[in-house]
Amino acid sequence: MLMLSATTHEGVVVEDFMDRLHAEQDRDQRLVAAMNAASKLAAAQAEISRHTWREPVRHLQARRALQEAEAARAKAFLPSEELGSLARRIIQLRLMDLRRPGGRYGSHRHPLHPEVDSYFDQLAADVAVEVADVAARPGALPSSQTGPRPLAHRRANELPELLELLSAPAVHAVLTRQRDQVREVAADTELFTRQRPDGLLIVQHAASGLRARFELDEAQPGVGRFGSIYAKHYKIASIDPSGAEGRPHLFEGLGIGAMIYRRAAAEYPDVRWRGGTLTEAAHALRRRLHNEDPYIWAAWCQLCDRHFQDGKDWSQRAREDFPTH
Ligand SMILES: [Zn+2]
């Protein structure tokens, strides 16, 4: 996915993108060449099995054709890491499909959030079924984002090596490895913070690069002091001392946001954090934090809705007004 970051120098982003695009187009072309070579080889093998030693001329011609096809196949070499990354991408897309809201295992959380643990093997088996299904269909290969799409009419199962990487045990292994990797990142508790004299605070999770910006809002009327949260990580410059951007979008929905929010709240113990425009996942996080401390964290809340009948806003209520959550 193309992540255009307003905070990165645009030239660098565009250059990165063009590099990636060219690499993808090269890979697509090599993939097509390998598929053509594989089908020619299969045809040559079928041809030679049709002609026996009783037909010496045709047998000889078929053997030559087979040798040529073998040489072409050897030339259309695909590095295994390239095939591996393509296979992982196909598996990832099927997993995301099953886990998107409304999907069979729909959720707003990360596709490999611990909530999948109770049915992980079944999920992996279902991903494998979906993968096998799309491998047999044209147009299921993720190809480069723009330009010619040489892969659009090809099927993953035209390439035996790729098909092997998409078998049920391979899918299970890929998902297990990804699960372990994202969990390891999410479990890392190191945070970077940067605070400006005016109170603006950025908190960044070191291992994932996920970050949010916290601003004090002194003009906001109500009981106490207020602040607002800006959580579009891709629009906030990285504060990693090494300059690393991280790959935040790969780690959303694993509970790292809660770690970041709690850290900011600890820096400003009396500040109350207002809502704002939130994604569905951010709403869920807000509700959890609100349940822990309804005075500090604003959230849409059924309990508050039923409890308060005076039509006042969350910001106008004192700590002691809130019922136990
Ligand atoms: Zn509430």
Side-chain angles (χ1 to χ4, degrees):
M1 190 167 69
L2 169 62
M3 302 289 292
L4 270 184
S5 160
T7 54
T8 315
H9 298 297
E10 219 163 81
V12 175
V13 172
V14 171
E15 212 166 274
D16 276 1
F17 174 63
M18 291 313 289
D19 281 354
R20 209 165 352 131
L21 189 63
H22 289 145
E24 272 180 14
Q25 285 173 345
D26 282 357
R27 183 212 61 196
D28 289 2
Q29 250 127 36
R30 281 198 300 277
L31 210 52
V32 168
M35 283 170 171
N36 286 338
S39 71
K40 269 189 195 145
L41 183 61
Q45 278 161 342
E47 183 68 15
I48 200 168
S49 71
R50 267 204 299 278
H51 303 297
T52 67
W53 58 271
R54 286 177 198 279
E55 312 157 83
V57 175
R58 296 182 71 182
H59 191 74
L60 185 67
Q61 285 168 342
R63 275 195 56 163
R64 283 207 186 114
L66 180 64
Q67 276 166 359
E68 274 171 32
E70 273 167 353
R73 183 82 180 91
K75 241 167 76 179
F77 168 77
L78 280 165
S80 63
E81 66 266 31
E82 205 159 84
L83 274 181
S85 88
L86 186 67
R88 287 195 296 279
R89 180 95 186 104
I90 294 170
I91 294 166
Q92 189 69 31
L93 288 172
R94 301 304 25 112
L95 170 69
M96 279 158 67
D97 208 33
L98 286 171
R99 289 276 290 148
R100 75 186 144 75
R104 202 182 315 163
Y105 298 96
S107 167
H108 291 292
R109 289 178 155 153
H110 189 280
L112 293 170
H113 182 277
E115 71 182 1
V116 305
D117 289 358
S118 58
Y119 55 86
F120 181 79
D121 290 339
Q122 186 58 50
L123 176 65
D126 287 357
V127 171
V129 169
E130 300 277 327
V131 163
D133 184 44
V134 303
R137 269 203 321 253
L141 284 164
S143 55
S144 65
Q145 298 191 353
T146 58
R149 291 177 176 267
L151 288 179
H153 303 291
R154 309 306 295 252
R155 292 170 285 110
N157 66 3
E158 288 177 65
L159 211 57
E161 298 96 320
L162 182 59
L163 206 54
E164 220 168 276
L165 298 174
L166 297 173
S167 69
V171 168
H172 192 281
V174 164
L175 291 177
T176 303
R177 207 163 43 242
Q178 282 181 356
R179 178 194 66 187
D180 296 347
Q181 282 167 350
V182 298
R183 303 284 177 82
E184 199 186 325
V185 168
D188 197 304
T189 54
E190 189 183 0
L191 295 168
F192 303 126
T193 59
R194 182 179 292 168
Q195 199 161 10
R196 279 200 329 214
D198 65 358
L200 185 139
L201 172 71
I202 290 167
V203 180
Q204 177 165 339
H205 181 247
S208 65
L210 271 169
R211 47 201 179 253
R213 194 172 66 209
F214 301 82
E215 277 171 275
L216 298 182
D217 191 357
E218 307 289 359
Q220 165 78 24
V223 179
R225 294 169 77 202
F226 295 90
S228 60
I229 304 173
Y230 186 76
K232 287 182 180 164
H233 54 77
Y234 48 92
K235 290 196 174 174
I236 303 169
S238 171
I239 59 164
D240 189 312
S242 75
E245 284 283 324
R247 298 171 78 193
H249 61 284
L250 297 181
F251 302 101
E252 286 176 288
L254 286 164
I256 297 168
M259 206 191 297
I260 291 172
Y261 281 28
R262 286 199 179 98
R263 176 57 176 273
E267 297 282 333
Y268 293 115
D270 58 330
V271 168
R272 308 179 64 195
W273 301 100
R274 293 189 287 118
T277 317
L278 300 172
T279 61
E280 198 47 49
H283 272 297
L285 166 58
R286 279 307 191 108
R287 279 196 290 275
R288 281 197 297 281
L289 292 168
H290 174 85
N291 282 335
E292 287 170 22
D293 193 337
Y295 172 72
I296 291 292
W297 302 100
W300 183 84
C301 172
Q302 244 178 352
L303 199 147
C304 286
D305 225 29
R306 275 201 302 270
H307 181 82
F308 296 116
Q309 299 294 330
D310 55 7
K312 277 207 273 181
D313 183 63
W314 165 85
S315 60
Q316 296 167 300
R317 303 189 192 289
R319 178 175 277 288
E320 56 273 19
D321 294 346
F322 288 93
T324 311
H325 274 62

